Amino acid sequence: MKKLAALALALGFSCTAALAADTVKIGLMAPMTGSWASEGQEMERVVKLLAEGATVLGKKVEIVVEDDGGDPRTASLAAQRLATKGVTAVVGTYGSAVTEATQTIYDEGRILQIANGSTAIRLTEKGLRLFFRTCPRDDEQGRVAVDTIVKLKAKNVAILHDNSAYAKGLADEAKAGLEKKGVKIAFFDALTPKENDYTAILTKLKAAKPDLVFFTGYYPEAGLLMKQKAEMKWNVPFLGGDATNNPDLLKIAGKAGEGFYCVSPPLPQDLDTKEAKAFLAAYKKKYGSAPSSIYGVLAGDGLRVVVAGMQGAKSADAEKVAAFLKANLKNFPGLTGKISFNDKGDRVGEVYRVYKVTKGQFALQK
């Protein structure tokens, strides 16, 4: 080992770098800090757990983590750093605008990217051959949201977004779908994220007299909206998109979160596959509780898909792995259900479910 270290130093590398040839490096880009830090931290827990003892192409899997801060500018820097660290693929990230800031960097670097929480339609309409995602698109989520709203018998609906790529895209999809169903759109506008007081926008919403409010933004704002509408003694039901399925919403909203609906991919405890059951048991054993958010699990599916793609392609070359994933990976047993990809890199098939906050928990609705 001392001789190896001396040789590495003589060549201008550290011993760690010299030994890195014995691993396949896979990057994880996640919001480890910022408003979405709980998502990023769980992404890291899930991905590192799944990487323990994993091998591909006869080498151990090494996870290289970079913090994107949940911000496009920070994310572009994180992507540039990962691109210089010898990663063959990157899992992440959470947030469509954040992911979009990194797509070109990875594509030009010939690095496979599998996003786990970026549902904006345009991300896979650019013809980027190395981009995939384990979450579905906003048009699919919008369809399920519209069906849910119709089942809840809402005739007069308010749609509130936050002007982000994800939230605005989902809001537009839902608006178009509801109008086709003959549902009246009583309100369509945006709030400003990261504020502490939403009583002004809530007052405008209340004046529109909707039967239901569909909020397409993220869980920190959703929790505050629920708390402050309860303080106003306004009991209109709220439905959220998949970015609201996070236990931090309940910490913010408190008891006011009861009755909140959201559409979301299923959590592992709501699946009966052997893969989901085995993962859930391993996660509970290591961390003492079940995963709290779907996006860490979708990141885990991203890692598992990368490994399956490399094994199937018998190569870590991004082009070969991408070709295998599109042509040969069919009904892969993911932690969130079966996974297949189309030629654009989008996940195909029925994924979304409906959850309702019941007794302080997100409960799957049958």
Side-chain angles (χ1 to χ4, degrees), residues 122-341:
R122 67 173 182 254
L123 298 180
T124 47
E125 294 295 327
K126 302 176 181 182
L128 299 176
R129 63 198 183 283
L130 303 180
F131 180 78
F132 295 78
R133 51 183 160 194
T134 52
C135 55
R137 300 188 347 168
D138 280 341
D139 45 1
E140 173 62 13
Q141 182 177 182
R143 182 188 66 77
V144 176
V146 167
D147 289 345
T148 302
I149 290 168
V150 171
K151 287 180 181 177
L152 292 172
K153 298 180 180 180
K155 303 294 184 183
N156 200 38
V157 174
I159 299 177
L160 180 65
H161 59 93
D162 66 6
N163 268 328
S164 67
Y166 156 72
K168 181 60 164 59
L170 178 56
D172 288 339
E173 289 293 321
K175 181 175 183 290
L178 288 169
E179 288 176 339
K180 286 181 181 179
K181 297 280 189 180
V183 177
K184 180 183 176 182
I185 305 301
F187 180 99
F188 189 92
D189 205 348
L191 54 69
T192 302
K194 301 180 182 180
E195 291 193 344
N196 296 320
D197 187 350
Y198 289 118
T199 53
I201 195 75
L202 284 167
T203 299
K204 290 181 181 179
L205 279 166
K206 187 176 181 180
K209 300 180 179 179
D211 302 322
L212 177 144
V213 176
F214 182 34
F215 176 60
T216 63
Y218 292 85
Y219 62 90
E221 289 74 30
L224 193 54
L225 285 166
M226 294 297 290
K227 179 181 179 181
Q228 292 179 348
K229 84 175 181 69
E231 291 170 351
M232 293 170 57
K233 301 188 184 305
W234 186 36
N235 296 320
V236 68
F238 262 59
L239 170 70
D242 57 6
T244 61
N245 187 352
N246 185 292
D248 280 1
L249 179 150
L250 304 178
K251 293 178 183 178
I252 297 167
K255 292 182 179 179
E258 285 292 307
F260 180 84
Y261 290 90
C262 72
V263 294
S264 170
L267 288 164
Q269 53 262 41
D270 297 318
L271 297 174
D272 59 3
T273 66
K274 64 179 183 180
E275 291 80 13
K277 289 180 178 179
F279 164 74
L280 193 60
Y283 191 96
K284 286 181 176 178
K285 182 178 180 180
K286 186 172 183 67
Y287 301 114
S289 63
S292 58
S293 171
I294 189 59
Y295 291 101
V297 185
L298 286 166
D301 268 342
L303 175 67
R304 296 176 74 247
V305 162
V306 167
V307 171
M310 290 179 180
Q311 290 173 333
K314 296 180 173 58
S315 171
D317 179 81
E319 298 280 0
K320 293 179 180 178
V321 175
F324 179 87
L325 292 179
K326 292 174 182 178
N328 302 105
L329 191 82
K330 302 300 178 186
N331 294 321
F332 177 78
L335 304 175
T336 55
K338 295 179 179 179
I339 300 175
S340 302
F341 297 103

Side-chain angles (χ1 to χ4, degrees), residues 90-110:
V90 170
V91 175
T93 186
Y94 178 82
S96 293
V98 187
T99 290
E100 189 164 30
T102 69
Q103 285 182 294
T104 301
I105 295 168
Y106 291 131
D107 190 68
E108 291 178 350
R110 295 186 71 252

